[in-house]
Amino acid sequence: MRPPLVRVLRRLGREGLVDLEAVSGLLAVGDQGERHSAPWFVRLLVGFGAWVASGFLVAFLFMVDLVPEDLGAALFGAFVLAGAGALRRSPAAEGSDFLQQSALAGWLVGQLMVVFGMAEGTDSPPVTAGVVLLVQVASMAFFADAVARFLASGFAVASVLALMLHWKVPQGDEVAFLLSALGAGLIWWHRPALLAGRFPQAVNPVGYGLVFSALALLALALADPLEQHPSGILASTALSAGVLLMAWCLLGERRRSGPGLAVLGLVLLLGLATSSAPGVMAAVGTLVLGFRAGERGLLALAWSFLLFFLAAFYYNLEVPLLEKSGLLLASGALLLGLRALLRRCG
Amino acid sequence: MFPGSKDHVVRGAMMEEEPEYDASQSREADLVPATPEAILALRGHAGVSPEAVRRALELALPTPGPEAWTHFLDRTLLFLGGLLATSGVVCFFAFNWQALGRLARLGLVEAVVVLAALGAWRLGPERLAGQVLLTVAAVLVGPLLGVYGQIYQTGADAWNLFLAWGLLIVPWVLVGRNPVLWLLLLGLGNLTAWLAWGQLAGPDPWDSTSFYLWMCSTNSLAWGAWEFFRRRNPGPLTSSWVSRALAALCLFYAAVPSWMALLESRFEGPWLGPVFLAALLVAIFRLLRPRDPDLFLPAAGLAAAISVVTVAASRILLEESEAEEAGILLMGVLVLAQVAGAAAWLRRAGRSS
């Protein structure tokens, strides 16, 4: 729920930042901008449609032998990406959903061409992953489409994961998770400043993309398809430190009061208790960021992920059932106990 | 529904010093929210400096105040603590399961259900903690029946368990007036039907057009009843998620037989699927849309229609045409055009709401 734009504009007028006489005109401009944003399910429909369309288009290109081989395909893909980017930014696309969807589908086709071409041409996973990562960073910054930016952040995280696994970085999947979690945390924490910066339209989609990717990586680490046997300790420690830092900043002057110390103590103890279940602290961190930013989507994502994580954690064989039971019961009791204590303290 | 997702986020500097709103202003002006998109549209506009945009973002995206954080902390500790403790109990039972005797197993699960239900009764469905306990009790009825069937080897089929579970929690669902319980009941009803069909009616439900049409009919009736009662009883039942879930199910059950009718043959197979789908679309766009600004239902309807048109086009362009390459290209363009048209309609509909 946001305040009305007219109130914000009149407040700016009283502070001398805008002309009060111009408020009506500015309201109309802002209204137009707000109307262009779409609910999540419309974006989901658009994104899914773009994927399906790009699948057909890629199949067509291969059937008519229009795609060169090896590095030629990557170069072809780069041209397609540039063309899609130019189309998306063109004035004609602003008022045309068809052109916007075509640009998005073209972007996906270009991505597939680049990945395919680099993989075939160089036969070098780190080079391929590095190029893909660069393409995603450029897309996040310059491709003016929220769905594309969301997907680009996910592809970027996947590239980082591929690099970690190729270089056999110890606990590579956890490191990739932490990098994406760090990125997400920085974006959501500094969102107002970033929105006033150079790439404001990229902030929300990339922020959501990084959170989604980070949580997906954590879920993947739990499933452990590549048999990396992650312990979760690294992720839990870093997440606990992150949540503790956020709590420290949020408490401000109250951090030395009784309730403040209780909250800091709770975060520390919860982090210790759930050291082998990093999903709990990941969900807590997402909840704090989401509430601070006023983003219901983040709150919903956090709760959905937590339910999924607990179900997957139950079936995970790395931790014995009795230990799982102990840590979950202890954590639950800790949280409920603190709630009772804080209520008593008023 | 989620802790902290209330209007508490909109507090702080905006509300503390704001004078009374001038009622002589147009009502429409007050309806435009100060979203980041609305404020960013002002960038570069004459008379709007970068500092003004920064300040507008600060005002539109205030950080929650101490009261809001306290409320959020209270709710999160309750939900998260309850969830973790319940998960711990489940793991504990699972660990000790083999060592427990029959009565101990049954007694433990029963005790949790009874305690949760008593707690809900004591606290009342008006309180959040009461709602949480009632939901826990309703969810645990299923495992209780499972344990009963396991111990006494009743020989009941899985669909019997889900049917009994659903019937037993109906009074709690009616008393609780909680969308989560309604969604649980909806899920149990559909699951029961899936499992029962295969055993009682014969053909695998996945392959049975009749099954999908039957499910579409029953879920449509449930949806109609839900819409009827929620308009007469606003309050806890106005949650849009139950409507959305029912609509999505009905559209799914109508779309699948439509695909099957198109893929099997142009001239064979029942055509009731597309007829049901058309009826649902009429209901969404003609009956519900004028009364409900929620765009989810039209979006879901359009998605279902697009899927059917795409399958029909693929049948014509790919299977029955000789120019396969041109067909593939046309399919891509067709999908783009449909999605673009749907997005354009939804944007226009959102504006007019």
Side-chain angles (χ1 to χ4, degrees):
Chain A
M1 184 83 173
R2 304 285 179 204
L5 181 61
V6 67
R7 281 199 179 190
V8 172
L9 291 172
R10 284 199 273 114
R11 177 69 176 269
L12 291 178
R14 282 197 300 278
E15 292 179 11
L17 291 168
V18 298
D19 184 2
L20 270 172
E21 304 290 319
V23 164
S24 309
L26 292 175
L27 186 63
V29 172
D31 188 22
Q32 282 298 312
E34 200 276 329
R35 284 173 180 180
H36 280 120
S37 64
W40 64 269
F41 44 84
V42 176
R43 293 184 181 184
L44 186 65
L45 175 66
V46 163
F48 186 72
W51 272 106
V52 172
S54 63
F56 282 117
L57 294 172
V58 167
F60 169 74
L61 290 173
F62 275 99
M63 284 173 82
V64 297
D65 291 326
L66 264 180
V67 181
E69 289 182 1
D70 300 343
L71 287 174
L75 201 58
F76 181 81
F79 277 119
V80 172
L81 282 171
L87 175 63
R88 187 63 181 84
R89 283 182 172 269
S90 66
E94 276 306 303
S96 167
D97 284 286
F98 179 77
L99 290 180
Q100 288 176 20
Q101 303 322 311
S102 302
L104 181 60
W107 179 80
L108 281 166
V109 169
Q111 293 272 5
L112 288 167
M113 294 290 103
V114 166
V115 173
F116 167 75
M118 289 302 298
E120 291 286 306
T122 63
D123 206 22
S124 166
V127 172
T128 303
V131 169
V132 169
L133 182 58
L134 285 173
V135 168
Q136 305 322 311
V137 171
S139 296
M140 282 188 259
F142 300 112
F143 195 87
D145 187 283
V147 173
R149 281 167 162 150
F150 175 87
L151 292 172
S153 56
F155 297 158
V157 170
S159 307
V160 169
L161 176 65
L163 286 169
M164 294 290 138
L165 294 175
H166 178 78
W167 289 328
K168 293 186 172 48
V169 172
Q171 310 297 334
D173 47 359
E174 284 189 68
V175 172
F177 157 74
L178 286 174
L179 288 171
S180 56
L182 179 66
L186 288 171
I187 284 176
W188 287 109
W189 192 262
H190 297 288
R191 189 170 76 144
L194 289 171
L195 284 173
R198 232 191 116 205
F199 304 106
Q201 308 284 3
V203 175
N204 266 25
V206 172
Y208 269 105
L210 286 176
V211 169
F212 189 86
S213 303
L215 297 179
L217 271 182
L218 202 55
L220 192 68
L222 195 65
D224 197 21
L226 303 170
E227 296 184 2
Q228 299 277 302
H229 303 295
S231 64
I233 303 285
L234 175 62
S236 285
T237 308
L239 284 168
S240 303
V243 175
L244 199 60
L245 182 62
M246 283 197 288
W248 181 266
C249 295
L250 289 168
L251 284 167
E253 292 166 355
R254 289 181 300 278
R255 58 176 76 116
R256 289 196 169 79
S257 66
L261 287 171
V263 168
L264 291 173
L266 164 76
V267 171
L268 200 58
L269 285 173
L270 188 65
L272 284 169
T274 59
S275 57
S276 52
V280 176
M281 289 311 279
V284 169
T286 309
L287 284 171
V288 171
L289 286 172
F291 181 71
R292 184 173 178 272
E295 287 287 327
R296 293 184 184 188
L298 281 185
L299 297 174
L301 197 57
W303 285 109
S304 306
F305 169 75
L306 186 60
L307 288 172
F308 169 80
F309 177 82
L310 287 173
F313 186 60
Y314 175 81
Y315 288 104
N316 180 266
L317 298 176
E318 299 286 327
V319 180
L321 259 179
L322 188 61
E323 189 180 324
K324 283 181 209 173
S325 167
L327 76 91
L328 290 170
L329 269 171
S331 310
L334 193 66
L335 294 171
L336 292 170
L338 180 68
R339 179 180 184 256
L341 182 66
L342 288 174
R343 286 196 142 211
R344 194 164 292 179
C345 293
Chain B
M1 181 181 172
F2 301 105
S5 65
K6 301 281 188 178
D7 296 347
H8 299 88
V9 293
V10 182
R11 293 290 180 266
M14 274 301 303
M15 305 303 287
E16 287 161 3
E17 303 165 25
E18 187 64 24
E20 284 298 314
Y21 178 57
D22 183 356
S24 66
Q25 293 289 322
S26 162
R27 281 179 61 91
E28 272 194 16
D30 211 26
L31 293 176
V32 180
T35 60
E37 290 81 10
I39 291 167
L40 291 173
L42 300 174
R43 277 163 66 114
H45 195 80
V48 181
S49 63
E51 192 194 336
V53 171
R54 253 193 309 274
R55 179 62 179 144
L57 288 168
E58 274 173 31
L59 293 171
L61 304 173
T63 51
E67 193 187 302
W69 275 112
T70 306
H71 180 82
F72 167 74
L73 192 63
D74 180 69
R75 295 295 173 95
T76 303
L77 289 174
L78 174 65
F79 276 96
L80 191 56
L83 183 61
L84 293 179
T86 306
S87 306
V89 167
V90 168
C91 289
F92 184 75
F93 284 175
F95 177 76
N96 289 294
W97 205 244
Q98 298 303 325
L100 293 172
R102 296 188 313 178
L103 287 180
R105 291 183 194 182
L106 204 52
L108 272 169
V109 184
E110 261 183 31
V112 176
V113 173
V114 167
L115 283 172
L118 280 175
W121 171 71
R122 191 68 206 271
L123 292 168
E126 308 81 32
R127 290 179 59 178
L128 183 61
Q131 293 271 347
V132 169
L133 285 172
L134 191 61
T135 306
V136 168
V139 167
L140 288 178
V141 166
L144 175 63
L145 293 173
V147 168
Y148 182 86
Q150 193 185 58
I151 291 171
Y152 293 105
Q153 294 295 309
T154 55
D157 297 314
W159 70 269
N160 290 137
L161 183 148
F162 290 109
L163 177 63
W165 186 356
L167 289 173
L168 284 171
I169 67 170
V170 165
W172 287 347
V173 173
L174 293 173
V175 164
R177 296 167 67 86
N178 178 346
V180 176
L181 288 174
W182 281 104
L183 286 172
L184 175 64
L185 190 61
L186 177 67
L188 288 173
N190 278 268
L191 196 53
T192 303
W194 274 93
L195 295 169
W197 187 276
Q199 275 198 277
L200 302 177
D204 190 351
W206 288 108
D207 295 327
S208 169
T209 304
S210 309
F211 170 73
Y212 288 106
L213 297 177
W214 167 249
M215 291 302 290
C216 185
S217 306
T218 47
N219 278 282
S220 297
L221 282 172
W223 185 19
W226 175 264
E227 290 293 336
F228 177 78
F229 284 111
R230 84 171 174 125
R231 284 173 209 289
R232 285 172 182 261
N233 297 288
L237 293 183
T238 54
S239 164
S240 59
W241 281 103
V242 179
S243 276
R244 291 177 173 189
L246 281 163
L249 279 173
C250 292
L251 288 166
F252 170 74
Y253 288 128
V256 173
S258 305
W259 303 336
M260 288 160 72
L262 287 163
L263 290 172
E264 281 167 9
S265 166
R266 264 197 297 179
F267 303 109
E268 291 171 11
W271 281 89
L272 286 174
V275 169
F276 271 62
L277 184 60
L280 285 171
L281 293 175
V282 167
I284 288 172
F285 287 97
R286 284 295 197 193
L287 297 177
L288 292 172
R289 178 69 197 139
R291 303 172 197 190
D292 192 342
D294 184 14
L295 284 179
F296 184 89
L297 301 184
L302 286 169
I306 288 171
S307 72
V308 172
V309 169
T310 303
V311 168
S314 70
R315 180 69 200 258
I316 297 167
L317 293 174
L318 300 181
E319 286 190 33
E320 302 197 4
S321 160
E322 289 181 1
E324 217 173 71
E325 293 87 354
I328 292 266
L329 180 61
L330 280 173
M331 283 300 304
V333 172
L334 180 67
V335 169
L336 279 175
Q338 288 180 98
V339 171
W345 187 92
L346 288 165
R347 266 195 248 279
R348 270 199 308 276
R351 275 180 234 149
S352 62
S353 297

